[in-house]
Amino acid sequence: MEKLKALDQELFLELNSHHSPFWDSLMVFVSNKFVWIPFYLLLIVLLVYFYKRRGALMIMTLGASVGLADYVSSGIFKPLFERLRPCHEAVLGATVYVVEGCGGRFGFVSSHAANSFAIAAFLCFLLPARQWLLKVLLVFWAVVISYSRIYLGVHYPGDITVGAAIGTGAAFLGVYLYKQICQRYSFWR
């Protein structure tokens, strides 16, 4: 386990060491959860427009997926593991490039990664194969948000990886729930 933590720290220091004013501003922007509200609203409108009642069910089960991912990452993992964020580590603190504040004390796992991957994976699992470009863009979006957390100095790559896995798992459960409801209740077909 110690070897894994050391590798995670090394990878973090490498990924966190390259900065410029342009990228600093962009990563702060990308990491701000409020910036994405218009995107989420557009997503809701498009799902309802194209899928009607099923779109409303998609939104509800997608919301449940994100809620589950957020609860597992912030409500269970962070208090259970109590792993300090890199910017709070006494040993690393001086070498970490923190762009804008450090955030809460504990960082394992990244809620940003869990939530963005819950959205991206949910839609990737559910959308038809012909929507491959949209799927690629959604995964790219989730990866950029996740990487921004390393760039900003607040999460290790391991925090991101496990957060992405939690989000993907929550999305899988949300899609399963969506399909079960559609099969059982004709109203949603």
Side-chain angles (χ1 to χ4, degrees):
M1 191 62 154
E2 289 304 313
K3 248 185 174 174
L4 196 58
K5 283 174 85 172
L7 179 64
D8 202 22
Q9 287 179 343
E10 277 182 53
L11 185 57
F12 166 78
L13 289 172
E14 177 58 33
L15 293 171
N16 179 255
S17 65
H18 307 286
H19 287 270
S20 76
F22 169 78
W23 289 108
D24 289 358
S25 298
L26 183 63
M27 292 300 168
V28 167
F29 178 81
V30 164
S31 198
N32 183 332
K33 60 186 173 190
F34 298 112
V35 163
W36 298 105
I37 290 174
F39 169 71
Y40 302 140
L41 293 174
L42 177 64
L43 189 62
I44 290 168
V45 168
L46 291 175
L47 287 173
V48 170
Y49 177 77
F50 285 110
Y51 294 98
K52 312 294 182 238
R53 273 186 273 183
R54 286 178 47 216
L57 180 60
M58 286 178 189
I59 293 163
M60 288 186 279
T61 52
L62 173 57
S65 297
V66 172
L68 177 63
D70 193 64
Y71 176 72
V72 170
S73 62
S74 292
I76 297 175
F77 273 60
K78 284 179 183 172
L80 179 66
F81 290 100
E82 294 185 344
R83 182 181 188 194
L84 294 175
R85 291 178 185 267
C87 48
H88 285 305
E89 284 278 351
V91 176
L92 290 180
T95 57
V96 175
Y97 184 84
V98 179
V99 177
E100 184 182 76
C102 194
R105 195 167 164 199
F106 303 122
F108 184 78
V109 300
S110 169
S111 297
H112 278 76
N115 297 344
S116 61
F117 270 92
I119 294 168
F122 182 93
L123 293 170
C124 286
F125 290 150
L126 213 51
L127 292 174
R130 69 178 182 277
Q131 298 288 337
W132 65 270
L133 181 58
L134 179 57
K135 292 179 180 189
V136 168
L137 290 172
L138 285 165
V139 171
F140 179 75
W141 168 77
V143 167
V144 169
I145 287 176
S146 298
Y147 172 72
S148 75
R149 306 306 288 162
I150 297 169
Y151 183 96
L152 296 173
V154 297
H155 281 293
Y156 291 105
D159 302 345
I160 300 301
T161 304
V162 176
I166 289 169
T168 303
F172 180 81
L173 291 173
V175 169
Y176 176 79
L177 176 63
Y178 168 81
K179 288 180 178 179
Q180 290 299 310
I181 292 170
C182 282
Q183 284 178 351
R184 289 192 179 162
Y185 303 101
S186 61
F187 175 79
W188 295 106
R189 288 190 199 133

